[in-house]
Amino acid sequence: MKQKITLKQIAKELDVSISTVSKALKDSEEISIDTREKIKAFAKFYNYKPNNIALSLKNKKTKTIGVIIPEIVHHFFTTVIGGVEKIANEKGYNVIICSSNNSFDKEVINMEMLASGSADGFILSVAKETQLKKDYHHIQETINQGMPVVLFDRVIDELVCDKVIIDDAKGAQTATNHLLSLGCKNIAILTTVDYISVGKLRTRGYFRALRGFDIEEKEELVLKIEDIDNCESEIDEFLKNKNVDGIFAVNELFAVTAAKILNKQNKKVPQDVAVVAFTDGILSKHFIPSLTTISQHGENMGERAAMLLIDKLEDDETVAEEYRTVIIDTSLVERQSTKKAD
Amino acid sequence: MKQKITLKQIAKELDVSISTVSKALKDSEEISIDTREKIKAFAKFYNYKPNNIALSLKNKKTKTIGVIIPEIVHHFFTTVIGGVEKIANEKGYNVIICSSNNSFDKEVINMEMLASGSADGFILSVAKETQLKKDYHHIQETINQGMPVVLFDRVIDELVCDKVIIDDAKGAQTATNHLLSLGCKNIAILTTVDYISVGKLRTRGYFRALRGFDIEEKEELVLKIEDIDNCESEIDEFLKNKNVDGIFAVNELFAVTAAKILNKQNKKVPQDVAVVAFTDGILSKHFIPSLTTISQHGENMGERAAMLLIDKLEDDETVAEEYRTVIIDTSLVERQSTKKAD
DNA sequence: AGGTGTCACGAAAACGTTTGCGTGTGGAAA
DNA sequence: TTTCCACACGCAAACGTTTTCGTGACACCT
């Protein structure tokens, strides 16, 4: 049960000063070769590792990136984290992940906790509750304290900082256009309530696409779902007697739920109804029929966010007073759910 | 761009000593009420928050739990993390998550990094590569240094520490028994190569169930898949001309892939072939037909692991020389893929 | 021998806390 | 007036580093 060894202990053991040990381990010319070798051998034997905490305190930086996401059990967010980790590790940074569980309070707590010494900067996507409350003081304060913040996916326009987003409206437009170009005339949208920024934007894109094809926008074809956990009955009710021939869903779950319901209602996907989903996840890929989706390239988002943050962290502090917004391209992944009848 | 305020700055500003400030903020009787109020007001105004790094250094503890998992983009592991976070937050601990990406090297690096000051203890599930190499020195060293470690899911028998597992063999047996009790006679298993501990155990359970029903174990009904990423062709080949009436898959992906292939081969699930999967994830739930699964109760695992770890962390150091292995119950979740023909 | 220079190392401050103990000031008791 | 005590506060060490600067010893030159 040997405890971690410190510089002080090495110094004592070898009867030299702490500074000598520190310098020797850094191969400083100041120390004689003999002493250097001796100290290094000793340190290696006892598996000396500098204490990160002490280093952080001294250097006023932790070499750690804090990531705060609304849900940890969520495919899209985890892919983003994957991207962040990739870049972070390349550049010698660590990643701390916290989940806000879509709770405003937990988001605040996590940020304060990480801000008070544990991380040098943040990558975050705001909680649902935060978007609803429109209370961003904790983020603003963090920025004011000089900590770089990169927002992604669910961003806040009012906040001045780096952002990584996709063009949600454009992606939705692409999706809807795809349905239109297949000949669909009666396209429904399954979306979220308006305070979810991405839901709102995707709805906008849907309308834009319809206008492009000179198709009337009908309110009765729009379903705004509040509670994702039991969307099933809502969608079921909605789809009855609607006679839609295309569905655009703003996320995977709405899409597969709809597909299952169509199945029950004896309508075939894609023959009777074509379906496109936003978010290219595991569900869409393996569903039968597999779903055509708009891919958000989450890993890519994570990578770009990490790059932006690390740039800010390593810049000369003074210069970096400009903020960038990176827009990640979405792409249409065509699968069976929109296959043309041959 | 005001920087974080420190005790020292408050002290200077208010013309008292640092210790006075510290004590005042802790409401120490030593300091006069007047001074206390004044300091507290000032601190509140400037939004003073103690620096965690300094505290960690002083207290020799970080109040942080390190979690290392093989994959971050993986439903089961994220549910476990959810459980860990829940308990950790209740008890005032933070959670740092690192992914080893199933790489031995990255696992070692992450552990060393977290061990050198960033976390008080570990919850971990070992990487594939580590299981293959059978090199556990990094974990052993961490334990030797007096840091508590809790292993979960993919555990290492040789390591003496707390563990949280499920009874993989028993779960597999339950699954297979379920198929047998439905009348299946020719049950195939889709499993992993043997060095994956859980795969091996689940295979064992499958055999045990067969023996229980006095059914011959046929090697030709066992498929050990090495590369999960293109298991499709392997399974396709395997299933040809086999005439199986039941399939037990050790994970979701194998199960849905098999289901899709059966579909192509014009066999119906569950009428012609019944399917059970290990791991109750999002895929099984939403697949058509929805899959009967063995649920591992990941969140529960995470909770128990966190409890074990925190117990060790908060015990009087000296006492806690006994190690526990918690076995989480699995349960059969019946869905459409094993529905009896009516 | 005195001066100069180099080599090899040590002392100490700093990062931001907490906390045991020491101490100056004042008032009250003797 | 002296003594004593409580009150209210400050000092300093400690946690483990890094780094600047100082310094002792020795050798070499004149």
Side-chain angles (χ1 to χ4, degrees):
Chain A
M1 184 78 80
K2 51 176 180 186
Q3 280 293 324
K4 299 232 69 174
I5 196 167
T6 69
L7 285 187
K8 190 192 275 192
Q9 293 168 43
I10 300 182
K12 194 171 169 190
E13 217 58 48
L14 260 41
D15 209 38
V16 291
S17 78
I18 297 180
S19 20
T20 303
V21 179
S22 174
K23 288 170 188 165
L25 293 176
K26 297 201 129 44
D27 237 344
S28 157
E29 297 291 337
E30 243 182 304
I31 308 297
S32 72
I33 303 250
D34 274 9
T35 317
R36 260 189 268 170
E37 292 305 327
K38 197 175 58 179
I39 292 178
K40 283 198 277 186
F42 190 91
K44 177 151 198 184
F45 181 75
Y46 282 99
N47 194 25
Y48 170 78
K49 291 267 157 38
N51 180 311
N52 280 328
I53 297 285
L55 284 181
S56 299
L57 184 57
K58 179 127 202 29
N59 301 331
K60 308 258 250 163
K61 55 172 79 168
T62 61
K63 278 272 181 183
T64 297
I65 294 176
V67 178
I68 300 182
I69 54 174
E71 300 170 58
I72 183 88
V73 191
H74 191 301
H75 185 263
F76 168 66
F77 288 121
T78 55
T79 57
V80 174
I81 292 175
V84 172
E85 281 224 321
K86 188 174 155 212
I87 298 297
N89 288 344
E90 276 173 17
K91 307 252 184 178
Y93 282 79
N94 252 80
V95 178
I96 296 186
I97 298 150
C98 292
S99 127
S100 63
N101 255 315
N102 270 320
S103 138
F104 173 77
D105 289 335
K106 223 181 141 194
E107 187 174 283
V108 173
I109 291 175
N110 276 329
M111 280 206 85
E112 286 185 348
M113 142 86 206
L114 292 182
S116 58
S118 306
D120 296 339
F122 287 96
I123 293 178
L124 87 93
S125 188
V126 300
K128 230 183 245 176
E129 229 181 270
T130 308
Q131 287 195 124
L132 185 54
K133 283 183 84 160
K134 293 180 189 292
D135 182 348
Y136 319 124
H137 77 275
H138 52 303
I139 308 178
Q140 187 61 59
E141 270 168 22
T142 310
I143 296 175
N144 288 345
Q145 279 167 15
M147 298 192 73
V149 171
V150 179
L151 258 32
F152 76 93
D153 195 52
R154 301 190 193 159
V155 303
I156 311 289
D157 289 336
E158 293 93 305
L159 255 26
V160 179
C161 61
D162 285 334
K163 289 162 192 165
V164 181
I165 53 173
I166 55 168
D167 191 334
D168 281 286
K170 188 173 157 199
Q173 195 177 351
T174 305
T176 313
N177 275 340
H178 180 60
L179 290 173
L180 289 164
S181 70
L182 290 173
C184 299
K185 306 286 179 203
N186 221 21
I187 303 173
I189 177 172
L190 306 178
T191 183
T192 62
V193 283
D194 272 346
Y195 67 81
I196 307 289
S197 57
V198 296
K200 194 171 172 181
L201 288 169
R202 290 171 195 173
T203 307
R204 195 174 295 167
Y206 157 81
F207 282 130
R208 201 189 292 161
L210 292 186
R211 280 198 299 274
F213 274 64
D214 268 330
I215 291 190
E216 192 189 355
E217 309 166 8
K218 296 183 197 148
E219 275 305 322
E220 77 223 37
L221 289 179
V222 177
L223 177 62
K224 296 187 180 178
I225 298 170
E226 169 97 44
D227 182 10
I228 195 166
D229 284 328
N230 38 12
C231 55
E232 197 161 337
S233 51
E234 266 190 83
I235 296 179
D236 197 354
E237 195 59 37
F238 173 76
L239 248 31
K240 270 181 193 156
N241 317 316
K242 273 271 162 46
N243 213 23
V244 301
D245 54 5
I247 293 182
F248 166 55
V250 301
N251 62 45
E252 278 194 320
L253 193 61
F254 290 172
V256 304
T257 307
K260 282 197 274 189
I261 288 165
L262 288 171
N263 210 34
K264 259 195 253 163
Q265 298 181 351
N266 279 322
K267 298 190 184 160
K268 285 204 157 38
V269 177
Q271 293 86 339
D272 301 330
V273 183
V275 175
V276 181
F278 219 102
T279 303
D280 184 40
I282 227 167
L283 224 45
S284 309
K285 192 169 165 190
H286 294 289
F287 197 74
I288 302 182
S290 57
L291 301 184
T292 296
T293 57
I294 296 294
S295 167
Q296 306 177 75
H297 302 289
E299 183 157 0
N300 200 344
M301 278 189 96
E303 290 173 12
R304 296 304 299 271
M307 287 179 194
L308 283 179
L309 185 63
I310 293 177
D311 272 5
K312 274 278 187 304
L313 288 175
E314 305 201 332
D315 259 10
D316 298 338
E317 304 288 341
T318 48
V319 198
E321 281 303 305
E322 64 180 38
Y323 297 99
R324 287 164 295 180
T325 293
V326 173
I327 299 176
I328 303 286
D329 275 342
T330 56
S331 53
L332 184 76
V333 181
E334 275 195 73
R335 297 211 185 86
Q336 296 167 355
S337 69
T338 59
K339 252 205 187 125
K340 275 204 183 115
D342 323 89
Chain B
M1 185 77 82
K2 49 176 181 188
Q3 279 293 326
K4 298 231 71 172
I5 195 166
T6 70
L7 286 187
K8 190 192 275 195
Q9 293 167 42
I10 299 182
K12 193 171 169 191
E13 217 56 50
L14 259 42
D15 210 37
V16 291
S17 78
I18 296 181
S19 24
T20 304
V21 178
S22 174
K23 287 169 188 165
L25 292 176
K26 297 201 129 42
D27 238 342
S28 156
E29 296 291 336
E30 241 182 306
I31 307 298
S32 72
I33 303 250
D34 274 8
T35 317
R36 260 189 267 168
E37 291 306 328
K38 195 175 60 180
I39 292 179
K40 283 198 278 187
F42 190 90
K44 178 151 196 185
F45 181 75
Y46 282 99
N47 195 23
Y48 169 78
K49 292 268 160 36
N51 180 310
N52 281 328
I53 297 283
L55 284 180
S56 299
L57 184 57
K58 179 128 200 35
N59 300 333
K60 307 256 248 165
K61 55 172 79 167
T62 62
K63 278 275 183 176
T64 298
I65 294 176
V67 178
I68 300 183
I69 54 173
E71 300 169 59
I72 182 88
V73 190
H74 191 301
H75 185 262
F76 169 65
F77 288 121
T78 54
T79 57
V80 175
I81 292 175
V84 172
E85 282 224 322
K86 186 174 156 210
I87 299 296
N89 288 344
E90 275 173 19
K91 307 252 186 183
Y93 282 79
N94 251 80
V95 179
I96 296 187
I97 298 149
C98 292
S99 128
S100 63
N101 253 315
N102 270 319
S103 140
F104 173 77
D105 289 335
K106 223 183 140 191
E107 187 174 282
V108 173
I109 291 176
N110 276 331
M111 279 206 84
E112 286 184 347
M113 143 84 206
L114 291 184
S116 59
S118 306
D120 296 338
F122 286 97
I123 293 178
L124 88 94
S125 189
V126 300
K128 231 183 244 177
E129 228 182 272
T130 308
Q131 286 195 124
L132 185 55
K133 283 185 86 161
K134 291 179 191 292
D135 181 348
Y136 317 124
H137 77 272
H138 53 301
I139 308 179
Q140 187 61 59
E141 270 168 21
T142 309
I143 296 175
N144 288 347
Q145 279 168 15
M147 298 193 71
V149 171
V150 178
L151 258 34
F152 77 92
D153 194 52
R154 303 190 191 159
V155 303
I156 311 288
D157 288 337
E158 294 95 303
L159 254 25
V160 180
C161 62
D162 285 333
K163 289 162 193 165
V164 180
I165 52 173
I166 55 167
D167 191 334
D168 282 286
K170 188 172 157 201
Q173 196 176 351
T174 305
T176 313
N177 277 340
H178 181 61
L179 290 172
L180 289 164
S181 69
L182 290 174
C184 299
K185 306 285 179 203
N186 222 22
I187 302 174
I189 177 171
L190 306 178
T191 183
T192 62
V193 285
D194 271 347
Y195 68 81
I196 305 288
S197 59
V198 296
K200 194 171 174 182
L201 288 170
R202 289 170 196 174
T203 309
R204 195 174 295 166
Y206 158 81
F207 282 130
R208 200 189 294 160
L210 292 186
R211 281 198 299 275
F213 273 64
D214 269 332
I215 291 190
E216 192 189 352
E217 308 167 10
K218 298 183 196 147
E219 274 305 321
E220 79 222 36
L221 288 179
V222 177
L223 176 62
K224 295 188 180 177
I225 297 169
E226 169 97 43
D227 182 10
I228 193 166
D229 284 329
N230 37 12
C231 55
E232 198 161 337
S233 51
E234 269 190 82
I235 296 179
D236 197 355
E237 196 60 37
F238 173 77
L239 248 31
K240 270 180 192 156
N241 319 317
K242 273 272 163 47
N243 213 22
V244 302
D245 55 5
I247 293 181
F248 167 54
V250 301
N251 61 45
E252 279 193 321
L253 194 59
F254 291 172
V256 303
T257 308
K260 282 197 273 190
I261 288 165
L262 288 171
N263 209 36
K264 259 195 253 165
Q265 298 181 351
N266 278 321
K267 297 188 186 162
K268 283 203 157 39
V269 178
Q271 292 87 338
D272 302 328
V273 184
V275 176
V276 181
F278 220 101
T279 302
D280 184 39
I282 225 165
L283 225 44
S284 309
K285 193 168 163 191
H286 293 289
F287 197 74
I288 302 183
S290 56
L291 301 183
T292 295
T293 58
I294 298 292
S295 166
Q296 306 178 74
H297 302 289
E299 182 157 1
N300 201 344
M301 279 189 96
E303 290 173 12
R304 296 305 299 270
M307 287 180 196
L308 284 178
L309 185 63
I310 293 177
D311 272 5
K312 274 277 188 304
L313 288 175
E314 306 202 330
D315 259 11
D316 298 338
E317 304 288 341
T318 50
V319 199
E321 281 303 303
E322 64 180 36
Y323 295 99
R324 288 163 294 179
T325 293
V326 173
I327 299 177
I328 303 285
D329 276 340
T330 57
S331 52
L332 183 76
V333 181
E334 275 195 72
R335 297 211 184 86
Q336 296 168 354
S337 70
T338 59
K339 254 209 183 119
K340 275 199 183 121
D342 326 86

PDB file of all heavy atoms in Angstrom, chain A residues 17-33:
ATOM      1  N   SER A  17      18.104  18.573  -2.648  1.00  0.00           N
ATOM      2  CA  SER A  17      16.956  19.456  -2.436  1.00  0.00           C
ATOM      3  C   SER A  17      15.834  19.131  -3.426  1.00  0.00           C
ATOM      4  O   SER A  17      16.053  18.490  -4.456  1.00  0.00           O
ATOM      5  CB  SER A  17      17.369  20.901  -2.624  1.00  0.00           C
ATOM      6  OG  SER A  17      17.457  21.176  -3.986  1.00  0.00           O
ATOM      7  N   ILE A  18      14.652  19.611  -3.101  1.00  0.00           N
ATOM      8  CA  ILE A  18      13.504  19.397  -3.973  1.00  0.00           C
ATOM      9  C   ILE A  18      13.764  19.968  -5.360  1.00  0.00           C
ATOM     10  O   ILE A  18      13.463  19.356  -6.369  1.00  0.00           O
ATOM     11  CB  ILE A  18      12.250  20.064  -3.370  1.00  0.00           C
ATOM     12  CG1 ILE A  18      11.907  19.415  -2.032  1.00  0.00           C
ATOM     13  CG2 ILE A  18      11.087  19.981  -4.334  1.00  0.00           C
ATOM     14  CD1 ILE A  18      10.685  20.004  -1.379  1.00  0.00           C
ATOM     15  N   SER A  19      14.349  21.158  -5.376  1.00  0.00           N
ATOM     16  CA  SER A  19      14.554  21.790  -6.683  1.00  0.00           C
ATOM     17  C   SER A  19      15.506  20.965  -7.535  1.00  0.00           C
ATOM     18  O   SER A  19      15.325  20.859  -8.752  1.00  0.00           O
ATOM     19  CB  SER A  19      15.064  23.211  -6.531  1.00  0.00           C
ATOM     20  OG  SER A  19      15.619  23.433  -5.284  1.00  0.00           O
ATOM     21  N   THR A  20      16.495  20.387  -6.905  1.00  0.00           N
ATOM     22  CA  THR A  20      17.425  19.549  -7.661  1.00  0.00           C
ATOM     23  C   THR A  20      16.678  18.380  -8.316  1.00  0.00           C
ATOM     24  O   THR A  20      16.888  18.075  -9.488  1.00  0.00           O
ATOM     25  CB  THR A  20      18.507  18.997  -6.733  1.00  0.00           C
ATOM     26  OG1 THR A  20      19.157  20.093  -6.093  1.00  0.00           O
ATOM     27  CG2 THR A  20      19.519  18.185  -7.515  1.00  0.00           C
ATOM     28  N   VAL A  21      15.816  17.779  -7.540  1.00  0.00           N
ATOM     29  CA  VAL A  21      15.064  16.657  -8.082  1.00  0.00           C
ATOM     30  C   VAL A  21      14.217  17.110  -9.260  1.00  0.00           C
ATOM     31  O   VAL A  21      14.227  16.499 -10.334  1.00  0.00           O
ATOM     32  CB  VAL A  21      14.158  16.039  -6.999  1.00  0.00           C
ATOM     33  CG1 VAL A  21      13.362  14.891  -7.590  1.00  0.00           C
ATOM     34  CG2 VAL A  21      14.975  15.576  -5.824  1.00  0.00           C
ATOM     35  N   SER A  22      13.498  18.187  -9.056  1.00  0.00           N
ATOM     36  CA  SER A  22      12.621  18.687 -10.105  1.00  0.00           C
ATOM     37  C   SER A  22      13.411  18.954 -11.377  1.00  0.00           C
ATOM     38  O   SER A  22      13.029  18.549 -12.476  1.00  0.00           O
ATOM     39  CB  SER A  22      11.933  19.966  -9.629  1.00  0.00           C
ATOM     40  OG  SER A  22      11.184  20.531 -10.666  1.00  0.00           O
ATOM     41  N   LYS A  23      14.533  19.626 -11.210  1.00  0.00           N
ATOM     42  CA  LYS A  23      15.344  19.959 -12.388  1.00  0.00           C
ATOM     43  C   LYS A  23      15.920  18.704 -13.032  1.00  0.00           C
ATOM     44  O   LYS A  23      15.958  18.591 -14.256  1.00  0.00           O
ATOM     45  CB  LYS A  23      16.479  20.899 -11.975  1.00  0.00           C
ATOM     46  CG  LYS A  23      15.991  22.294 -11.653  1.00  0.00           C
ATOM     47  CD  LYS A  23      17.103  23.115 -11.017  1.00  0.00           C
ATOM     48  CE  LYS A  23      16.593  24.437 -10.513  1.00  0.00           C
ATOM     49  NZ  LYS A  23      17.571  25.070  -9.587  1.00  0.00           N
ATOM     50  N   ALA A  24      16.384  17.804 -12.222  1.00  0.00           N
ATOM     51  CA  ALA A  24      16.985  16.587 -12.752  1.00  0.00           C
ATOM     52  C   ALA A  24      15.984  15.832 -13.627  1.00  0.00           C
ATOM     53  O   ALA A  24      16.316  15.354 -14.707  1.00  0.00           O
ATOM     54  CB  ALA A  24      17.459  15.698 -11.617  1.00  0.00           C
ATOM     55  N   LEU A  25      14.765  15.766 -13.137  1.00  0.00           N
ATOM     56  CA  LEU A  25      13.757  15.016 -13.885  1.00  0.00           C
ATOM     57  C   LEU A  25      13.408  15.702 -15.193  1.00  0.00           C
ATOM     58  O   LEU A  25      12.890  15.087 -16.117  1.00  0.00           O
ATOM     59  CB  LEU A  25      12.499  14.838 -13.029  1.00  0.00           C
ATOM     60  CG  LEU A  25      12.705  13.929 -11.818  1.00  0.00           C
ATOM     61  CD1 LEU A  25      11.450  13.878 -10.966  1.00  0.00           C
ATOM     62  CD2 LEU A  25      13.094  12.540 -12.264  1.00  0.00           C
ATOM     63  N   LYS A  26      13.692  16.986 -15.249  1.00  0.00           N
ATOM     64  CA  LYS A  26      13.445  17.713 -16.488  1.00  0.00           C
ATOM     65  C   LYS A  26      14.711  17.781 -17.323  1.00  0.00           C
ATOM     66  O   LYS A  26      14.787  18.513 -18.297  1.00  0.00           O
ATOM     67  CB  LYS A  26      12.972  19.129 -16.176  1.00  0.00           C
ATOM     68  CG  LYS A  26      11.676  19.196 -15.441  1.00  0.00           C
ATOM     69  CD  LYS A  26      11.025  20.548 -15.622  1.00  0.00           C
ATOM     70  CE  LYS A  26       9.591  20.385 -16.068  1.00  0.00           C
ATOM     71  NZ  LYS A  26       8.882  19.344 -15.337  1.00  0.00           N
ATOM     72  N   ASP A  27      15.714  17.072 -16.912  1.00  0.00           N
ATOM     73  CA  ASP A  27      16.957  16.994 -17.654  1.00  0.00           C
ATOM     74  C   ASP A  27      17.618  18.352 -17.794  1.00  0.00           C
ATOM     75  O   ASP A  27      18.193  18.681 -18.838  1.00  0.00           O
ATOM     76  CB  ASP A  27      16.698  16.424 -19.051  1.00  0.00           C
ATOM     77  CG  ASP A  27      17.549  15.185 -19.276  1.00  0.00           C
ATOM     78  OD1 ASP A  27      18.508  14.989 -18.506  1.00  0.00           O
ATOM     79  OD2 ASP A  27      17.255  14.419 -20.193  1.00  0.00           O
ATOM     80  N   SER A  28      17.542  19.117 -16.736  1.00  0.00           N
ATOM     81  CA  SER A  28      18.128  20.454 -16.783  1.00  0.00           C
ATOM     82  C   SER A  28      19.652  20.391 -16.791  1.00  0.00           C
ATOM     83  O   SER A  28      20.273  19.640 -16.053  1.00  0.00           O
ATOM     84  CB  SER A  28      17.641  21.250 -15.571  1.00  0.00           C
ATOM     85  OG  SER A  28      18.540  22.295 -15.288  1.00  0.00           O
ATOM     86  N   GLU A  29      20.273  21.235 -17.603  1.00  0.00           N
ATOM     87  CA  GLU A  29      21.732  21.296 -17.716  1.00  0.00           C
ATOM     88  C   GLU A  29      22.365  21.718 -16.405  1.00  0.00           C
ATOM     89  O   GLU A  29      23.561  21.534 -16.185  1.00  0.00           O
ATOM     90  CB  GLU A  29      22.119  22.312 -18.798  1.00  0.00           C
ATOM     91  CG  GLU A  29      21.644  21.972 -20.198  1.00  0.00           C
ATOM     92  CD  GLU A  29      22.387  20.743 -20.749  1.00  0.00           C
ATOM     93  OE1 GLU A  29      23.494  20.457 -20.270  1.00  0.00           O
ATOM     94  OE2 GLU A  29      21.825  20.060 -21.633  1.00  0.00           O
ATOM     95  N   GLU A  30      21.547  22.332 -15.607  1.00  0.00           N
ATOM     96  CA  GLU A  30      22.058  22.863 -14.351  1.00  0.00           C
ATOM     97  C   GLU A  30      22.578  21.772 -13.414  1.00  0.00           C
ATOM     98  O   GLU A  30      23.384  22.033 -12.533  1.00  0.00           O
ATOM     99  CB  GLU A  30      20.910  23.603 -13.643  1.00  0.00           C
ATOM    100  CG  GLU A  30      21.131  25.066 -13.436  1.00  0.00           C
ATOM    101  CD  GLU A  30      19.946  25.650 -12.692  1.00  0.00           C
ATOM    102  OE1 GLU A  30      18.807  25.511 -13.176  1.00  0.00           O
ATOM    103  OE2 GLU A  30      20.157  26.209 -11.612  1.00  0.00           O
ATOM    104  N   ILE A  31      22.026  20.588 -13.606  1.00  0.00           N
ATOM    105  CA  ILE A  31      22.359  19.508 -12.685  1.00  0.00           C
ATOM    106  C   ILE A  31      23.390  18.579 -13.339  1.00  0.00           C
ATOM    107  O   ILE A  31      23.306  18.301 -14.534  1.00  0.00           O
ATOM    108  CB  ILE A  31      21.092  18.704 -12.325  1.00  0.00           C
ATOM    109  CG1 ILE A  31      19.991  19.656 -11.834  1.00  0.00           C
ATOM    110  CG2 ILE A  31      21.392  17.629 -11.299  1.00  0.00           C
ATOM    111  CD1 ILE A  31      20.333  20.407 -10.576  1.00  0.00           C
ATOM    112  N   SER A  32      24.320  18.113 -12.572  1.00  0.00           N
ATOM    113  CA  SER A  32      25.367  17.251 -13.128  1.00  0.00           C
ATOM    114  C   SER A  32      24.760  15.947 -13.643  1.00  0.00           C
ATOM    115  O   SER A  32      23.762  15.468 -13.122  1.00  0.00           O
ATOM    116  CB  SER A  32      26.409  16.944 -12.063  1.00  0.00           C
ATOM    117  OG  SER A  32      25.849  16.051 -11.118  1.00  0.00           O
ATOM    118  N   ILE A  33      25.417  15.432 -14.651  1.00  0.00           N
ATOM    119  CA  ILE A  33      24.897  14.221 -15.279  1.00  0.00           C
ATOM    120  C   ILE A  33      24.717  13.100 -14.260  1.00  0.00           C
ATOM    121  O   ILE A  33      23.703  12.409 -14.244  1.00  0.00           O
ATOM    122  CB  ILE A  33      25.860  13.746 -16.384  1.00  0.00           C
ATOM    123  CG1 ILE A  33      26.075  14.848 -17.406  1.00  0.00           C
ATOM    124  CG2 ILE A  33      25.338  12.459 -17.010  1.00  0.00           C
ATOM    125  CD1 ILE A  33      25.469  14.608 -18.735  1.00  0.00           C
TER     126      ILE A  33
END
